[in-house]
Amino acid sequence: MIAVKIGGSVITRKDTYRHFLPDICRNIVRSLFPFRDELVVLHGGGSFGHILAKEANLPADLNERTKRYFSRIHNDVLLLNSKINDIMAEEGFNPVSIPTSLFFGEKGLNVRPYRKFLESGFNPVGMGDIVLSGKTVKIISADDIMLKLSKEFNPRLVIFFTDVDGIYSDDPKKNPEARLLPTIDSDINFKAVQNDVTGGMKHKYEIIKKISHHADRITVINGKYPERLKDLGSERFIGTVIENGR
Ligand code: ATP
Ligand code: IP8
């Protein structure tokens, strides 16, 4: 199985509410065509999730205010999901939406729908979403779902598409001296990402270290240049690669 997270930072304009970037998304989807028989896709919230989630100030108790945010945010991530699924269907995939909030219960995310549709030859498409956990409303990142799926399915490859070339020694948007790290064995500085309620690249890095015990290979690459995937495993490759730490 191959699991991909399409970052909200690369397929949306993260500072503009519900601004989708269809051409970038299509190029990413096309680059995944060789993997379509074993592919699970997750996507982040981008400006369809993070702007309102920040305003909502979560986690918080379920009440009239948070219910209104729940409905709007869930609707918005489904809107982004349907745009991605449209493109996937047009490009020859068999996407099926697995809305996180519907399959999230006391024991966390139920992965059975992923298994069922994967085994039947579909491409499950899950997403970072707003969920109800008891009486608490909170946000679950697609990065967290990636860890859960990796524990269940032991993917041979996990791909994170984001809007920078990989993991750097420091935030490349703020520090021109930041170095792209071909792998992650050194100390890294992470800066908070604006309009991101789930911890940005720092959270992703922590998750990747955990995923590395359950997946053969993980890569973080720039979704604006998805053709770089073809070079994975060669010296030409531009991105960060983490080999299995099992
Ligand atoms: P989303 O969470 O909306 O799905 P995403 O998963 O693509 O988006 P972000 O959480 O926005 O990714 O994180 C990517 C951002 O992290 C980059 O735009 C970059 O500016 C920032 N960043 C901060 N520190 C680093 C670092 N050390 N290396 C790489 N990027 C970093
Ligand atoms: O973009 C967050 O998921 P992420 C989803 O994968 C929402 O961190 C609703 C903000």
PDB file of all heavy atoms in Angstrom, residues 5 7-10 14 44-46 50 143 161-164 166-173 188-191 193 196 198 200-201 204, ligand 1:
ATOM      1  N   LYS A   5      -0.184  12.095   1.558  1.00  0.00           N
ATOM      2  CA  LYS A   5      -0.913  13.263   2.064  1.00  0.00           C
ATOM      3  C   LYS A   5      -0.661  14.431   1.128  1.00  0.00           C
ATOM      4  O   LYS A   5       0.483  14.835   0.907  1.00  0.00           O
ATOM      5  CB  LYS A   5      -0.505  13.675   3.466  1.00  0.00           C
ATOM      6  CG  LYS A   5      -1.307  14.945   3.852  1.00  0.00           C
ATOM      7  CD  LYS A   5      -0.890  15.639   5.100  1.00  0.00           C
ATOM      8  CE  LYS A   5      -1.675  16.957   5.244  1.00  0.00           C
ATOM      9  NZ  LYS A   5      -1.251  17.772   6.376  1.00  0.00           N
ATOM     10  N   GLY A   7      -0.804  18.118   0.993  1.00  0.00           N
ATOM     11  CA  GLY A   7      -0.871  19.193   1.982  1.00  0.00           C
ATOM     12  C   GLY A   7      -1.778  20.327   1.525  1.00  0.00           C
ATOM     13  O   GLY A   7      -1.764  20.728   0.361  1.00  0.00           O
ATOM     14  N   GLY A   8      -2.532  20.834   2.479  1.00  0.00           N
ATOM     15  CA  GLY A   8      -3.389  21.987   2.184  1.00  0.00           C
ATOM     16  C   GLY A   8      -2.566  23.203   1.776  1.00  0.00           C
ATOM     17  O   GLY A   8      -3.060  24.079   1.061  1.00  0.00           O
ATOM     18  N   SER A   9      -1.295  23.237   2.192  1.00  0.00           N
ATOM     19  CA  SER A   9      -0.453  24.396   1.862  1.00  0.00           C
ATOM     20  C   SER A   9      -0.158  24.470   0.370  1.00  0.00           C
ATOM     21  O   SER A   9       0.128  25.546  -0.145  1.00  0.00           O
ATOM     22  CB  SER A   9       0.870  24.335   2.630  1.00  0.00           C
ATOM     23  OG  SER A   9       1.637  23.244   2.183  1.00  0.00           O
ATOM     24  N   VAL A  10      -0.229  23.332  -0.322  1.00  0.00           N
ATOM     25  CA  VAL A  10       0.158  23.340  -1.738  1.00  0.00           C
ATOM     26  C   VAL A  10      -1.045  23.350  -2.698  1.00  0.00           C
ATOM     27  O   VAL A  10      -0.938  23.838  -3.820  1.00  0.00           O
ATOM     28  CB  VAL A  10       1.181  22.199  -2.044  1.00  0.00           C
ATOM     29  CG1 VAL A  10       0.565  20.826  -1.890  1.00  0.00           C
ATOM     30  CG2 VAL A  10       1.792  22.365  -3.424  1.00  0.00           C
ATOM     31  N   LYS A  14      -3.270  29.342   1.493  1.00  0.00           N
ATOM     32  CA  LYS A  14      -3.605  29.159   2.910  1.00  0.00           C
ATOM     33  C   LYS A  14      -4.071  30.448   3.591  1.00  0.00           C
ATOM     34  O   LYS A  14      -4.680  30.410   4.651  1.00  0.00           O
ATOM     35  CB  LYS A  14      -2.408  28.551   3.644  1.00  0.00           C
ATOM     36  CG  LYS A  14      -2.826  27.400   4.559  1.00  0.00           C
ATOM     37  CD  LYS A  14      -1.713  26.493   4.943  1.00  0.00           C
ATOM     38  CE  LYS A  14      -2.008  25.896   6.309  1.00  0.00           C
ATOM     39  NZ  LYS A  14      -1.144  24.777   6.640  1.00  0.00           N
ATOM     40  N   GLY A  44      -4.962  17.662   3.595  1.00  0.00           N
ATOM     41  CA  GLY A  44      -5.054  18.571   4.729  1.00  0.00           C
ATOM     42  C   GLY A  44      -6.190  19.562   4.531  1.00  0.00           C
ATOM     43  O   GLY A  44      -6.963  19.473   3.571  1.00  0.00           O
ATOM     44  N   GLY A  45      -6.255  20.517   5.429  1.00  0.00           N
ATOM     45  CA  GLY A  45      -7.367  21.465   5.409  1.00  0.00           C
ATOM     46  C   GLY A  45      -7.069  22.715   4.592  1.00  0.00           C
ATOM     47  O   GLY A  45      -7.960  23.268   3.941  1.00  0.00           O
ATOM     48  N   GLY A  46      -5.800  23.163   4.617  1.00  0.00           N
ATOM     49  CA  GLY A  46      -5.477  24.419   3.943  1.00  0.00           C
ATOM     50  C   GLY A  46      -6.453  25.503   4.368  1.00  0.00           C
ATOM     51  O   GLY A  46      -6.920  25.523   5.521  1.00  0.00           O
ATOM     52  N   HIS A  50      -8.160  25.552   8.115  1.00  0.00           N
ATOM     53  CA  HIS A  50      -7.404  26.195   9.186  1.00  0.00           C
ATOM     54  C   HIS A  50      -7.893  27.594   9.561  1.00  0.00           C
ATOM     55  O   HIS A  50      -7.779  27.989  10.717  1.00  0.00           O
ATOM     56  CB  HIS A  50      -5.919  26.232   8.820  1.00  0.00           C
ATOM     57  CG  HIS A  50      -5.277  24.875   8.927  1.00  0.00           C
ATOM     58  ND1 HIS A  50      -4.842  24.345  10.116  1.00  0.00           N
ATOM     59  CD2 HIS A  50      -5.041  23.925   7.995  1.00  0.00           C
ATOM     60  CE1 HIS A  50      -4.338  23.143   9.909  1.00  0.00           C
ATOM     61  NE2 HIS A  50      -4.443  22.854   8.625  1.00  0.00           N
ATOM     62  N   ASP A 143      -2.126  14.405   9.094  1.00  0.00           N
ATOM     63  CA  ASP A 143      -0.858  13.793   9.528  1.00  0.00           C
ATOM     64  C   ASP A 143      -1.120  12.735  10.616  1.00  0.00           C
ATOM     65  O   ASP A 143      -0.496  11.678  10.627  1.00  0.00           O
ATOM     66  CB  ASP A 143       0.112  14.856  10.060  1.00  0.00           C
ATOM     67  CG  ASP A 143       0.462  15.902   9.007  1.00  0.00           C
ATOM     68  OD1 ASP A 143       0.265  15.636   7.813  1.00  0.00           O
ATOM     69  OD2 ASP A 143       0.921  16.992   9.393  1.00  0.00           O
ATOM     70  N   PHE A 161       3.142  15.601   0.244  1.00  0.00           N
ATOM     71  CA  PHE A 161       3.327  16.737  -0.670  1.00  0.00           C
ATOM     72  C   PHE A 161       3.076  18.017   0.119  1.00  0.00           C
ATOM     73  O   PHE A 161       2.023  18.165   0.745  1.00  0.00           O
ATOM     74  CB  PHE A 161       2.327  16.687  -1.820  1.00  0.00           C
ATOM     75  CG  PHE A 161       2.619  15.646  -2.851  1.00  0.00           C
ATOM     76  CD1 PHE A 161       1.890  14.471  -2.893  1.00  0.00           C
ATOM     77  CD2 PHE A 161       3.620  15.846  -3.801  1.00  0.00           C
ATOM     78  CE1 PHE A 161       2.140  13.505  -3.860  1.00  0.00           C
ATOM     79  CE2 PHE A 161       3.881  14.891  -4.771  1.00  0.00           C
ATOM     80  CZ  PHE A 161       3.143  13.718  -4.799  1.00  0.00           C
ATOM     81  N   THR A 162       4.032  18.948   0.075  1.00  0.00           N
ATOM     82  CA  THR A 162       3.817  20.212   0.755  1.00  0.00           C
ATOM     83  C   THR A 162       4.287  21.352  -0.153  1.00  0.00           C
ATOM     84  O   THR A 162       4.530  21.131  -1.337  1.00  0.00           O
ATOM     85  CB  THR A 162       4.498  20.184   2.150  1.00  0.00           C
ATOM     86  OG1 THR A 162       4.115  21.341   2.875  1.00  0.00           O
ATOM     87  CG2 THR A 162       6.001  20.072   2.053  1.00  0.00           C
ATOM     88  N   ASP A 163       4.378  22.579   0.382  1.00  0.00           N
ATOM     89  CA  ASP A 163       4.668  23.719  -0.508  1.00  0.00           C
ATOM     90  C   ASP A 163       6.135  24.164  -0.462  1.00  0.00           C
ATOM     91  O   ASP A 163       6.476  25.226  -0.959  1.00  0.00           O
ATOM     92  CB  ASP A 163       3.747  24.911  -0.187  1.00  0.00           C
ATOM     93  CG  ASP A 163       4.056  25.547   1.150  1.00  0.00           C
ATOM     94  OD1 ASP A 163       4.640  24.869   2.027  1.00  0.00           O
ATOM     95  OD2 ASP A 163       3.717  26.733   1.330  1.00  0.00           O
ATOM     96  N   VAL A 164       6.994  23.364   0.190  1.00  0.00           N
ATOM     97  CA  VAL A 164       8.448  23.630   0.169  1.00  0.00           C
ATOM     98  C   VAL A 164       9.130  22.323  -0.240  1.00  0.00           C
ATOM     99  O   VAL A 164       8.488  21.273  -0.291  1.00  0.00           O
ATOM    100  CB  VAL A 164       8.959  24.144   1.543  1.00  0.00           C
ATOM    101  CG1 VAL A 164       8.414  25.544   1.844  1.00  0.00           C
ATOM    102  CG2 VAL A 164       8.599  23.180   2.670  1.00  0.00           C
ATOM    103  N   GLY A 166      11.028  20.180   1.067  1.00  0.00           N
ATOM    104  CA  GLY A 166      11.182  19.057   1.996  1.00  0.00           C
ATOM    105  C   GLY A 166      11.333  19.628   3.391  1.00  0.00           C
ATOM    106  O   GLY A 166      10.898  20.756   3.666  1.00  0.00           O
ATOM    107  N   ILE A 167      11.975  18.881   4.278  1.00  0.00           N
ATOM    108  CA  ILE A 167      12.229  19.373   5.630  1.00  0.00           C
ATOM    109  C   ILE A 167      13.589  20.070   5.625  1.00  0.00           C
ATOM    110  O   ILE A 167      14.583  19.536   5.117  1.00  0.00           O
ATOM    111  CB  ILE A 167      12.193  18.230   6.660  1.00  0.00           C
ATOM    112  CG1 ILE A 167      10.805  17.552   6.621  1.00  0.00           C
ATOM    113  CG2 ILE A 167      12.492  18.755   8.056  1.00  0.00           C
ATOM    114  CD1 ILE A 167      10.609  16.447   7.637  1.00  0.00           C
ATOM    115  N   TYR A 168      13.618  21.272   6.161  1.00  0.00           N
ATOM    116  CA  TYR A 168      14.829  22.103   6.181  1.00  0.00           C
ATOM    117  C   TYR A 168      15.377  22.210   7.604  1.00  0.00           C
ATOM    118  O   TYR A 168      14.678  21.908   8.579  1.00  0.00           O
ATOM    119  CB  TYR A 168      14.510  23.512   5.680  1.00  0.00           C
ATOM    120  CG  TYR A 168      14.347  23.649   4.183  1.00  0.00           C
ATOM    121  CD1 TYR A 168      13.194  23.211   3.545  1.00  0.00           C
ATOM    122  CD2 TYR A 168      15.340  24.251   3.400  1.00  0.00           C
ATOM    123  CE1 TYR A 168      13.037  23.356   2.175  1.00  0.00           C
ATOM    124  CE2 TYR A 168      15.195  24.405   2.027  1.00  0.00           C
ATOM    125  CZ  TYR A 168      14.038  23.947   1.418  1.00  0.00           C
ATOM    126  OH  TYR A 168      13.879  24.089   0.059  1.00  0.00           O
ATOM    127  N   SER A 169      16.598  22.728   7.702  1.00  0.00           N
ATOM    128  CA  SER A 169      17.202  22.968   9.015  1.00  0.00           C
ATOM    129  C   SER A 169      16.467  24.092   9.758  1.00  0.00           C
ATOM    130  O   SER A 169      16.568  24.228  10.970  1.00  0.00           O
ATOM    131  CB  SER A 169      18.673  23.336   8.852  1.00  0.00           C
ATOM    132  OG  SER A 169      18.792  24.451   7.988  1.00  0.00           O
ATOM    133  N   ASP A 170      15.723  24.923   9.019  1.00  0.00           N
ATOM    134  CA  ASP A 170      14.928  26.014   9.586  1.00  0.00           C
ATOM    135  C   ASP A 170      13.846  26.352   8.550  1.00  0.00           C
ATOM    136  O   ASP A 170      13.923  25.882   7.410  1.00  0.00           O
ATOM    137  CB  ASP A 170      15.836  27.229   9.853  1.00  0.00           C
ATOM    138  CG  ASP A 170      15.199  28.224  10.826  1.00  0.00           C
ATOM    139  OD1 ASP A 170      14.035  28.012  11.234  1.00  0.00           O
ATOM    140  OD2 ASP A 170      15.863  29.215  11.166  1.00  0.00           O
ATOM    141  N   ASP A 171      12.876  27.162   8.919  1.00  0.00           N
ATOM    142  CA  ASP A 171      11.793  27.478   7.977  1.00  0.00           C
ATOM    143  C   ASP A 171      12.358  28.207   6.748  1.00  0.00           C
ATOM    144  O   ASP A 171      12.851  29.337   6.869  1.00  0.00           O
ATOM    145  CB  ASP A 171      10.753  28.355   8.687  1.00  0.00           C
ATOM    146  CG  ASP A 171       9.517  28.596   7.824  1.00  0.00           C
ATOM    147  OD1 ASP A 171       9.576  28.316   6.605  1.00  0.00           O
ATOM    148  OD2 ASP A 171       8.508  29.053   8.373  1.00  0.00           O
ATOM    149  N   PRO A 172      12.296  27.587   5.566  1.00  0.00           N
ATOM    150  CA  PRO A 172      12.898  28.206   4.377  1.00  0.00           C
ATOM    151  C   PRO A 172      12.217  29.510   3.960  1.00  0.00           C
ATOM    152  O   PRO A 172      12.801  30.319   3.253  1.00  0.00           O
ATOM    153  CB  PRO A 172      12.732  27.139   3.288  1.00  0.00           C
ATOM    154  CG  PRO A 172      11.612  26.279   3.760  1.00  0.00           C
ATOM    155  CD  PRO A 172      11.660  26.299   5.254  1.00  0.00           C
ATOM    156  N   LYS A 173      10.971  29.706   4.430  1.00  0.00           N
ATOM    157  CA  LYS A 173      10.278  30.953   4.062  1.00  0.00           C
ATOM    158  C   LYS A 173      10.739  32.116   4.926  1.00  0.00           C
ATOM    159  O   LYS A 173      10.513  33.269   4.591  1.00  0.00           O
ATOM    160  CB  LYS A 173       8.766  30.778   4.205  1.00  0.00           C
ATOM    161  CG  LYS A 173       8.186  29.867   3.147  1.00  0.00           C
ATOM    162  CD  LYS A 173       6.683  29.892   3.231  1.00  0.00           C
ATOM    163  CE  LYS A 173       6.075  28.913   2.251  1.00  0.00           C
ATOM    164  NZ  LYS A 173       4.755  28.459   2.702  1.00  0.00           N
ATOM    165  N   ILE A 188      16.694  20.443  14.065  1.00  0.00           N
ATOM    166  CA  ILE A 188      15.927  21.259  13.135  1.00  0.00           C
ATOM    167  C   ILE A 188      15.180  22.324  13.926  1.00  0.00           C
ATOM    168  O   ILE A 188      14.677  22.060  15.020  1.00  0.00           O
ATOM    169  CB  ILE A 188      14.901  20.393  12.378  1.00  0.00           C
ATOM    170  CG1 ILE A 188      15.627  19.222  11.698  1.00  0.00           C
ATOM    171  CG2 ILE A 188      14.134  21.204  11.356  1.00  0.00           C
ATOM    172  CD1 ILE A 188      14.709  18.185  11.134  1.00  0.00           C
ATOM    173  N   ASN A 189      15.107  23.529  13.355  1.00  0.00           N
ATOM    174  CA  ASN A 189      14.290  24.586  13.935  1.00  0.00           C
ATOM    175  C   ASN A 189      12.967  24.646  13.195  1.00  0.00           C
ATOM    176  O   ASN A 189      12.963  24.683  11.975  1.00  0.00           O
ATOM    177  CB  ASN A 189      14.967  25.944  13.739  1.00  0.00           C
ATOM    178  CG  ASN A 189      15.924  26.220  14.854  1.00  0.00           C
ATOM    179  OD1 ASN A 189      15.596  25.980  16.014  1.00  0.00           O
ATOM    180  ND2 ASN A 189      17.103  26.699  14.493  1.00  0.00           N
ATOM    181  N   PHE A 190      11.900  24.677  13.915  1.00  0.00           N
ATOM    182  CA  PHE A 190      10.610  24.809  13.258  1.00  0.00           C
ATOM    183  C   PHE A 190       9.967  26.112  13.680  1.00  0.00           C
ATOM    184  O   PHE A 190       9.954  26.454  14.857  1.00  0.00           O
ATOM    185  CB  PHE A 190       9.697  23.637  13.628  1.00  0.00           C
ATOM    186  CG  PHE A 190      10.176  22.339  13.072  1.00  0.00           C
ATOM    187  CD1 PHE A 190      10.862  21.449  13.860  1.00  0.00           C
ATOM    188  CD2 PHE A 190       9.965  22.017  11.746  1.00  0.00           C
ATOM    189  CE1 PHE A 190      11.324  20.250  13.348  1.00  0.00           C
ATOM    190  CE2 PHE A 190      10.423  20.827  11.221  1.00  0.00           C
ATOM    191  CZ  PHE A 190      11.102  19.946  12.021  1.00  0.00           C
ATOM    192  N   LYS A 191       9.426  26.834  12.727  1.00  0.00           N
ATOM    193  CA  LYS A 191       8.683  28.056  13.028  1.00  0.00           C
ATOM    194  C   LYS A 191       7.197  27.740  12.868  1.00  0.00           C
ATOM    195  O   LYS A 191       6.808  26.966  11.992  1.00  0.00           O
ATOM    196  CB  LYS A 191       9.060  29.169  12.040  1.00  0.00           C
ATOM    197  CG  LYS A 191      10.542  29.532  12.053  1.00  0.00           C
ATOM    198  CD  LYS A 191      10.828  30.589  13.102  1.00  0.00           C
ATOM    199  CE  LYS A 191      12.219  31.174  13.015  1.00  0.00           C
ATOM    200  NZ  LYS A 191      13.342  30.252  12.866  1.00  0.00           N
ATOM    201  N   VAL A 193       3.522  27.916  11.661  1.00  0.00           N
ATOM    202  CA  VAL A 193       2.971  28.291  10.363  1.00  0.00           C
ATOM    203  C   VAL A 193       1.734  29.152  10.605  1.00  0.00           C
ATOM    204  O   VAL A 193       0.888  28.811  11.429  1.00  0.00           O
ATOM    205  CB  VAL A 193       2.578  27.030   9.558  1.00  0.00           C
ATOM    206  CG1 VAL A 193       1.962  27.387   8.233  1.00  0.00           C
ATOM    207  CG2 VAL A 193       3.786  26.133   9.365  1.00  0.00           C
ATOM    208  N   ASP A 196      -2.361  27.875  10.766  1.00  0.00           N
ATOM    209  CA  ASP A 196      -2.275  26.422  10.915  1.00  0.00           C
ATOM    210  C   ASP A 196      -2.502  26.064  12.373  1.00  0.00           C
ATOM    211  O   ASP A 196      -1.732  26.468  13.238  1.00  0.00           O
ATOM    212  CB  ASP A 196      -0.911  25.900  10.448  1.00  0.00           C
ATOM    213  CG  ASP A 196      -0.934  24.388  10.281  1.00  0.00           C
ATOM    214  OD1 ASP A 196      -1.070  23.683  11.296  1.00  0.00           O
ATOM    215  OD2 ASP A 196      -0.848  23.917   9.139  1.00  0.00           O
ATOM    216  N   THR A 198      -2.781  22.902  13.516  1.00  0.00           N
ATOM    217  CA  THR A 198      -2.368  21.536  13.870  1.00  0.00           C
ATOM    218  C   THR A 198      -0.859  21.378  13.974  1.00  0.00           C
ATOM    219  O   THR A 198      -0.332  20.279  13.908  1.00  0.00           O
ATOM    220  CB  THR A 198      -2.956  20.506  12.877  1.00  0.00           C
ATOM    221  OG1 THR A 198      -2.670  20.937  11.542  1.00  0.00           O
ATOM    222  CG2 THR A 198      -4.429  20.333  13.064  1.00  0.00           C
ATOM    223  N   GLY A 200       1.745  22.586  12.066  1.00  0.00           N
ATOM    224  CA  GLY A 200       2.612  22.803  10.906  1.00  0.00           C
ATOM    225  C   GLY A 200       3.655  21.712  10.730  1.00  0.00           C
ATOM    226  O   GLY A 200       3.440  20.539  11.042  1.00  0.00           O
ATOM    227  N   MET A 201       4.836  22.126  10.241  1.00  0.00           N
ATOM    228  CA  MET A 201       5.894  21.179   9.900  1.00  0.00           C
ATOM    229  C   MET A 201       6.463  20.488  11.139  1.00  0.00           C
ATOM    230  O   MET A 201       6.917  19.349  11.068  1.00  0.00           O
ATOM    231  CB  MET A 201       6.987  21.926   9.130  1.00  0.00           C
ATOM    232  CG  MET A 201       8.024  21.062   8.493  1.00  0.00           C
ATOM    233  SD  MET A 201       7.390  19.801   7.374  1.00  0.00           S
ATOM    234  CE  MET A 201       7.283  20.670   5.820  1.00  0.00           C
ATOM    235  N   LYS A 204       4.367  17.599  11.813  1.00  0.00           N
ATOM    236  CA  LYS A 204       4.589  16.602  10.754  1.00  0.00           C
ATOM    237  C   LYS A 204       5.889  15.823  11.029  1.00  0.00           C
ATOM    238  O   LYS A 204       5.945  14.605  10.892  1.00  0.00           O
ATOM    239  CB  LYS A 204       4.674  17.314   9.400  1.00  0.00           C
ATOM    240  CG  LYS A 204       4.294  16.404   8.226  1.00  0.00           C
ATOM    241  CD  LYS A 204       4.487  17.067   6.872  1.00  0.00           C
ATOM    242  CE  LYS A 204       3.783  18.385   6.712  1.00  0.00           C
ATOM    243  NZ  LYS A 204       2.338  18.286   6.890  1.00  0.00           N
TER     244      LYS A 204
HETATM  245  P1  ATP B   1      -1.895  21.610   5.738  1.00  0.00           P
HETATM  246  O1  ATP B   1      -1.557  21.487   7.212  1.00  0.00           O
HETATM  247  O2  ATP B   1      -2.768  22.789   5.441  1.00  0.00           O
HETATM  248  O3  ATP B   1      -2.395  20.358   5.175  1.00  0.00           O
HETATM  249  P2  ATP B   1       0.835  21.044   4.852  1.00  0.00           P
HETATM  250  O4  ATP B   1       0.661  19.725   5.507  1.00  0.00           O
HETATM  251  O5  ATP B   1       1.257  21.047   3.433  1.00  0.00           O
HETATM  252  O6  ATP B   1      -0.477  21.938   4.999  1.00  0.00           O
HETATM  253  P3  ATP B   1       2.084  22.922   6.738  1.00  0.00           P
HETATM  254  O7  ATP B   1       1.538  22.371   7.993  1.00  0.00           O
HETATM  255  O8  ATP B   1       1.510  24.235   6.236  1.00  0.00           O
HETATM  256  O9  ATP B   1       1.981  21.817   5.585  1.00  0.00           O
HETATM  257  O10 ATP B   1       3.657  23.019   6.849  1.00  0.00           O
HETATM  258  C1  ATP B   1       4.442  23.457   5.731  1.00  0.00           C
HETATM  259  C2  ATP B   1       5.105  24.743   6.075  1.00  0.00           C
HETATM  260  O11 ATP B   1       5.984  24.534   7.176  1.00  0.00           O
HETATM  261  C3  ATP B   1       5.969  25.312   4.978  1.00  0.00           C
HETATM  262  O12 ATP B   1       5.229  26.222   4.198  1.00  0.00           O
HETATM  263  C4  ATP B   1       7.128  25.991   5.739  1.00  0.00           C
HETATM  264  O13 ATP B   1       7.100  27.409   5.575  1.00  0.00           O
HETATM  265  C5  ATP B   1       6.889  25.636   7.200  1.00  0.00           C
HETATM  266  N1  ATP B   1       8.095  25.217   7.961  1.00  0.00           N
HETATM  267  C6  ATP B   1       8.430  25.621   9.219  1.00  0.00           C
HETATM  268  N2  ATP B   1       9.588  25.080   9.621  1.00  0.00           N
HETATM  269  C7  ATP B   1      10.013  24.296   8.587  1.00  0.00           C
HETATM  270  C8  ATP B   1      11.168  23.453   8.387  1.00  0.00           C
HETATM  271  N3  ATP B   1      12.129  23.292   9.323  1.00  0.00           N
HETATM  272  N4  ATP B   1      11.272  22.790   7.198  1.00  0.00           N
HETATM  273  C9  ATP B   1      10.319  22.909   6.238  1.00  0.00           C
HETATM  274  N5  ATP B   1       9.206  23.704   6.365  1.00  0.00           N
HETATM  275  C10 ATP B   1       9.048  24.383   7.527  1.00  0.00           C
END
